[in-house]
Amino acid sequence: MHTSTGTVIAAGANLDFTLAQQLTVIALCALTAFISHMALAVFNDGVRPFMLDFIQGRSTRSATTAVSFGLSAGFIFGLGAPMALSTGVLNPWLVFLPTDILGILAPKKWLAPILGAAWGAIVVFGLNGANNLAHDLPVDFLTAMQQMSTPILFLFTLFPVLAITKQFGRKWGGIAGVVELALVVMTMKLWPNVFAGAIAMAVGVLMLIGLAIAKDLGQRKADRAQKVEEVEESDPADDPMASLFSASAARLRRYLPLFMLLGAGVCVLAQMHIFGGGEATSFLIAKGQYGEAAQVDFYRVFGFIPLIATTALASGAYGIAGFTLVYPIGYLLPNPFLAAVVGALVFAVEVLALSYIGKLLGKLPSVRDSSEHLRSAISDTLQLAILFGSLMAANAMGAGLGILIVGGLYLLNEAMGRPVVRMAAAPAAVIVGGIALNVLYWLDLFTPLKT
């Protein structure tokens, strides 16, 4: 299947892992479940704020498990599994969200890694069987789902433009949009084998950060001119949260060797090129465009460092993937041994620097706001891209009837108050729609499209 990026996606995504890859996934799932059980880290950003009550004994293990499951299930089954099956690349929703749940669920410390390892085994041994079964069906909805790659990759390019517009207004947003469009056209013309949005995203993110820093510096200069003692007002000694932040940072530092082992494992998984940190990244990894995948995930880091740092300091629980810097670093490293060393060092630096990062973010409010706008823009672009791509997949597997079923399921989910989170609803609808079309074929009520 050809795409506009000048690359080819295999007609059948390969989920047949080597022994080393299987053992790495199983061991990492065991480790992440153990760390989740210890309430040291979870992957789901929405669960992390609830961990403080659990750590301090104000919430039970079963109640925290219920929160984790409620916030994660839609992403696991609606986004993680479909993306893995359609790309042949694992992702954090499929690998890490279940180990969040299993780790918190486990009543005993020794049981958590066993449950995590069991999930890892299901992923590496079960996915390939499900993948082969789906590709043998009369209506191959997994191959149809690869239609999602083009809208995801190209619309994702626009997230810096949306963030700039939301934070700095229409004028700067318009300028960023024109610049990005020109760079995409130039890249497609001059470097047809390079992901067209690579340079555009780099310039867009740099524009956003530059505008935010300029605004903060200008504000600090104005405050000094008015003799406003900004530094004294934001002194951590006067901050009632300071003692909590300090205690949380100290708690995480006590387990530094365990975090270094975690960083090593995540970085090795990324280095093996069987794992992508995001939707766009999964398709880029599947196409072998590791440099572009690293670039995409590196830009996402700017949107998540403030969120992960502040929630970690407030709750005492870190992120399973840290600041996610180990993703792009892992993609680019030449072997897993180097990835293990570098991943461990990156996590060590992140954990040791948490307090400093928290203080720095307190002095740069516009930069902190930029990260929130980046996350919101990433979510907005991907929601549209995934919906549009899912409808393209529906059209590929069933034309108008496919669009009716998939689009109808998506709209029904909206009308019912989104029991499946919006980001995951459309891919889940493609799988349900694909199964429905196969049932109609077996009932002799539908003829599959010629491909």
Side-chain angles (χ1 to χ4, degrees), residues 128-418:
N128 197 42
N131 182 62
N132 293 336
L133 176 64
H135 284 303
D136 289 337
L137 292 173
V139 180
D140 185 356
F141 53 86
L142 293 185
T143 297
M145 286 185 74
Q146 293 173 357
Q147 295 278 349
M148 296 169 65
S149 65
T150 300
I152 285 177
L153 290 174
F154 277 87
L155 286 175
F156 186 76
T157 302
L158 290 174
F159 78 85
V161 177
L162 269 64
I164 290 171
T165 305
K166 289 180 178 181
Q167 187 170 6
F168 297 104
R170 288 176 290 182
K171 184 185 79 172
W172 279 111
I175 293 171
V178 171
V179 169
E180 281 211 8
L181 178 60
L183 289 171
V184 168
V185 173
M186 182 186 74
T187 304
M188 294 177 73
K189 181 69 175 177
L190 299 179
W191 306 288
N193 292 323
V194 174
F195 170 46
I199 299 175
M201 276 192 293
V203 172
V205 171
L206 288 174
M207 283 182 67
L208 176 65
I209 294 172
L211 288 167
I213 291 175
K215 182 177 180 181
D216 281 336
L217 292 178
Q219 185 62 48
R220 288 169 71 85
K221 184 178 180 180
D223 288 347
R224 281 196 299 270
Q226 298 171 19
K227 297 183 180 180
V228 176
E229 299 297 331
E230 187 80 25
V231 175
E232 290 183 8
E233 288 179 6
S234 60
D235 187 345
D238 300 326
D239 186 353
M241 296 295 288
S243 59
L244 173 62
F245 279 23
S246 178
S248 295
R251 177 177 187 264
L252 296 176
R253 285 197 298 270
R254 283 200 301 273
Y255 293 93
L256 187 61
L258 194 59
F259 281 114
M260 292 176 70
L261 182 61
L262 176 62
V266 176
C267 199
V268 168
L269 184 65
Q271 191 280 330
M272 288 179 163
H273 300 149
I274 60 169
F275 175 90
E279 300 88 345
T281 319
S282 293
F283 284 107
L284 288 169
I285 293 289
K287 297 174 184 181
Q289 294 183 313
Y290 308 130
E292 287 88 341
Q295 190 176 347
V296 168
D297 271 355
F298 180 71
Y299 300 146
R300 290 174 69 114
V301 168
F302 294 104
F304 286 89
I305 283 181
L307 172 69
I308 293 168
T310 52
T311 55
L313 289 169
S315 68
Y318 198 41
I320 285 293
F323 293 145
T324 69
L325 272 169
V326 287
Y327 294 164
I329 291 171
Y331 303 149
L332 299 176
L333 291 176
N335 63 69
F337 303 105
L338 183 59
V341 173
V342 173
L345 291 175
V346 168
F347 258 51
V349 172
E350 289 181 8
V351 172
L352 293 173
L354 262 180
S355 292
Y356 173 77
I357 292 170
K359 293 173 185 175
L360 180 64
L361 290 171
K363 298 176 182 178
L364 297 171
S366 294
V367 173
R368 195 170 62 244
D369 290 346
S370 291
S371 75
E372 295 186 16
H373 288 298
L374 273 176
R375 290 198 311 276
S376 174
I378 287 171
S379 178
D380 289 345
T381 54
L382 286 175
Q383 280 180 8
L384 176 61
I386 290 172
L387 174 59
F388 188 67
S390 297
L391 291 174
M392 289 174 64
N395 184 63
M397 67 185 185
L401 181 59
I403 291 175
L404 173 65
I405 295 174
V406 172
L409 287 171
Y410 180 87
L411 292 172
L412 182 62
N413 184 69
E414 290 286 307
M416 293 171 63
R418 298 191 201 118

